[in-house]
Amino acid sequence: QVQLVESGGGLVQAGGSLRLSCSASGRTFTSSAMAWFRQSPGREREFVAAASRGGESTYYADSVQDRFTISRDNAQMTVDLQMNMLKPEDTGVYYCAAALGLIGVAANEYAYWGQGTQVTVSS
């Protein structure tokens, strides 16, 4: 199993930056693809970014491509999301997720979830 705890959310003005961090515990972290999802009120949870088990492959939602960067440190058991050029539509609760096996973009492919961290981008 993998336990996940997110941190780094907050309030930022449009155009600003935030860095989210997800700290993991458990023996299967290095066997897990890791991802970030987000959810805003009235909307379904949506994929943001994912990294493969070794971090060599990454995927991004079109809406965050070239603005967000996902990275992982298997030795530290962390996965970060650097968010630049933030927009009001990036507002939401951001969740870290882990999937045993291959990288994916669907929420139902991820078995383990953190509690979420709020990101609010003001215009």
Side-chain angles (χ1 to χ4, degrees), residues 45-121:
R45 192 168 297 190
E46 64 172 345
F47 170 77
V48 175
S52 60
R53 288 171 287 186
E56 66 278 1
S57 296
T58 55
Y59 292 94
Y60 297 92
D62 289 343
S63 59
V64 307
Q65 184 75 48
D66 298 327
R67 298 189 298 122
F68 291 11
T69 302
I70 188 171
S71 60
R72 65 186 294 168
D73 184 333
N74 283 352
Q76 297 295 322
M77 295 179 65
T78 59
V79 57
D80 292 348
L81 184 69
Q82 177 66 43
M83 305 186 295
N84 299 327
M85 296 183 287
L86 282 161
K87 304 176 181 179
E89 51 264 43
D90 294 319
T91 294
V93 178
Y94 281 68
Y95 297 91
C96 178
L100 292 177
L102 298 177
I103 193 171
V105 301
N108 61 12
E109 296 178 273
Y110 290 82
Y112 304 103
W113 294 82
Q115 82 289 350
T117 185
Q118 177 71 45
V119 171
T120 303
V121 184

Side-chain angles (χ1 to χ4, degrees), residues 37-51:
F37 288 77
R38 66 188 181 191
Q39 188 167 20
S40 53
R43 299 188 64 178
E44 302 241 335
R45 192 168 297 190
E46 64 172 345
F47 170 77
V48 175

